[in-house]
Amino acid sequence: MAEEEATAVVDGRALVERMAEAAEEISAISDYRNAYRKQFCDLSRRMKLLEPMFQELKESKDPIPEQAVRSLVLLKRALDSARELLRLGNEGSKIFLVLEREKTTKRFLEVTVQLEQALSEVPFNMLNISDEVREQVELVHAQFKRAKERVDMNDMDLHRDLLSAYNMSTDANVDPSTLHRLAEKLQLLTISDLKQESLALHEMVVASDGDPGEIIEKMSMLLKKVKDFMQTQNPEMGTPTNKGLLPSNERAKPPVMPDDFRCPISLELMKDPVIVATGQTYERESIEKWLQAGHDTCPKTQQRLSNKSLTPNYVLRSLIVQWCEVNGIDPPKRPARTDKSRPTCSSSRPTCSSGEHAKVLDLVSKLSSRSTDNQRSAAAELRLLARCSAENRLCIAEAGAIPLLVKLLSTLDVLTQEHAVTALLNLSIFEDNKEKIIISGAVPGIVHVLRRGSMEARGNAAATLFSISVVDDYKIRIGNLGAIPPLVSLLREGSPRGKKDAATALFNLCMYQGNKGKAVRAGVVPILVGLLMDPEAGMMEETLAILAILSSHSEGKAAIAAAEALPALVEVIKSGSPRNKENAADTLLNLCSGEQQQQHLAEAHEKGLMGLLQEMAENGTDRGKRKAAQLIQRMNRFLEQKRVAQAQALAKQSGHPASPDFDYR
């Protein structure tokens, strides 16, 4: 142990690398279909919130002090313990977890205590971590601190039923109602569930050197009884659902699915949500059928689509998965796709002809030429080819063009730089190429173009960052590599097209909490409020979308208030589009909370907000109605407080006490 610690002190960077890898492994573990689902999901959620800290440490070039490394060694051990416990929840025997109830509960407590103690030792002042990430880690530490004081004992009835069935002889018949409860609570409801449990028991046999022993044999026999019972109840098992197993009078009321999670076409929970040119989101399969039928409009808005490209909505999919986990529903499995499912691609994995392939190879070789003219012409042709089809994007990437294009981002030749960044933008449209672009180290070069390139190159650099940042993990990396300040500069001084590209990139990046503060400190809020007040700018929708997400951040809320945006937000609710009204109401809702809520509520009331909200609550979109209702509730509470305060003041003046008809809480 001492040797490991000494090694870790010597090589702090390697330690941070291992911690980041462990955090990524933990994030990849997600399925906990067992009796301890809540405990595993709570631990997993908290661990995922720590991941940005490890990423920032990994990407920082500052040396890590010896004292800090010693504390990180403790945290690494705690990470390893948490990872092993989560693996047990994901891959281990469900029966064994409950059978060894006390040991399982004790292990949760030990891991919680270990993580809490390790986090308490982290010297944040010695580490190059952003304030947002530090606040997030401190929040997680507080959650672990509370969790170690509270031991969640599992279902006693489940433990009792399991012991009863476990201790019966092999030939004894277990009460069907007991088997029903066991299958239900242990989540052994489908063929897949039963196979996974059987595999977990098999792994226990392997771990015991092939000698299963009495415990594993009895668990295997119990599993067989559950399996036989389930097959008699539901001969066509196959999908992980429990609705058909419960008597009609015992079925739990299903959770209400948020409207935003339903595809507007199929009205079903979306498995693979994608965004069309109008900004609306649909289930991929449904919108592809719509497009293949010859339609060129958005089904929901009826607007003509400027293009038929489909961008994966990773943020919404992440929210859907999170909602499913919280409500005990299996997250929807994204269907396996080939490029056949894309309306613009060929019938299998995109490939180009031998002639085109030879042409691409020739152009890629010219990117390495010492002749600036050759580089410029090759980059220009690759830019055009990459715009044409998915086949070309794949072919160009596989020919090794991406690293060579990245090198050209730093060229002094303006046109070559412009062609190179635009070629990368076009290549990034193909999903597999996003990772290749990131791995090639393109982000610093793109940021360089964003700062110093021509106006067209800057706009295309912003669009490239938007395209890449649809992958959640890349949002953190792009923000940490300094992309946000030059994006804010482009939003302020760019061409109309450049401003829109900057706005969409900033919106995507600010979906990550740690980037919100960076954007606010770069001065984005006054620019956004200026655009909001300028009807000629044509940036209303983008501006309000960014303000809505920034208003959920303390610095963002303070900056929006300081920029005196409230009158403009009220005006949007009065005369804006349904989508803009939603975002304006969301921003106002965040403004009207916290320290200055009384001041903002008073100003909003003076501007006539209450009447506008009542109309919105009746005729707005579903999301708009919810936001309006919340604001109305807050306004009513404020007006009641104001009325009571005035009554008390009058009563004090007249010498009579006011009736205490308002409950201050």
Side-chain angles (χ1 to χ4, degrees), residues 31 119 137 159 207 221 241 279 329 332 423 439 452 552 560 590 619:
D31 188 18
L119 288 171
V137 174
H159 187 245
M221 192 54 62
T241 176
I329 299 170
I439 290 173
R452 304 184 184 279
S552 66
I560 294 168
N590 287 321
N619 303 314

Side-chain angles (χ1 to χ4, degrees), residues 237-293:
M237 285 191 309
T239 55
T241 176
N242 58 6
K243 275 197 274 187
L245 301 175
L246 288 172
S248 59
N249 60 341
E250 293 181 17
R251 289 182 189 171
K253 186 177 179 182
V256 178
M257 186 194 305
D259 291 337
D260 292 341
F261 294 175
R262 296 181 188 273
C263 171
I265 298 174
S266 68
L267 301 181
E268 298 292 332
L269 181 68
M270 285 187 275
K271 301 173 184 174
D272 190 8
V274 293
I275 306 167
V276 298
T278 59
Q280 297 296 325
T281 296
Y282 299 93
E283 171 60 36
R284 183 185 290 277
E285 184 181 0
S286 298
I287 190 63
E288 283 180 346
K289 287 179 180 177
W290 170 269
L291 295 172
Q292 288 163 4

Side-chain angles (χ1 to χ4, degrees), residues 6 23 58 117 214 219 236 243-244 302 327 387 585 617 654:
K58 179 181 174 182
Q117 290 176 347
E214 184 184 4
M219 286 196 296
E236 297 181 359
K243 275 197 274 187
Q302 293 303 306
N327 288 283
R387 188 175 65 182
S654 61

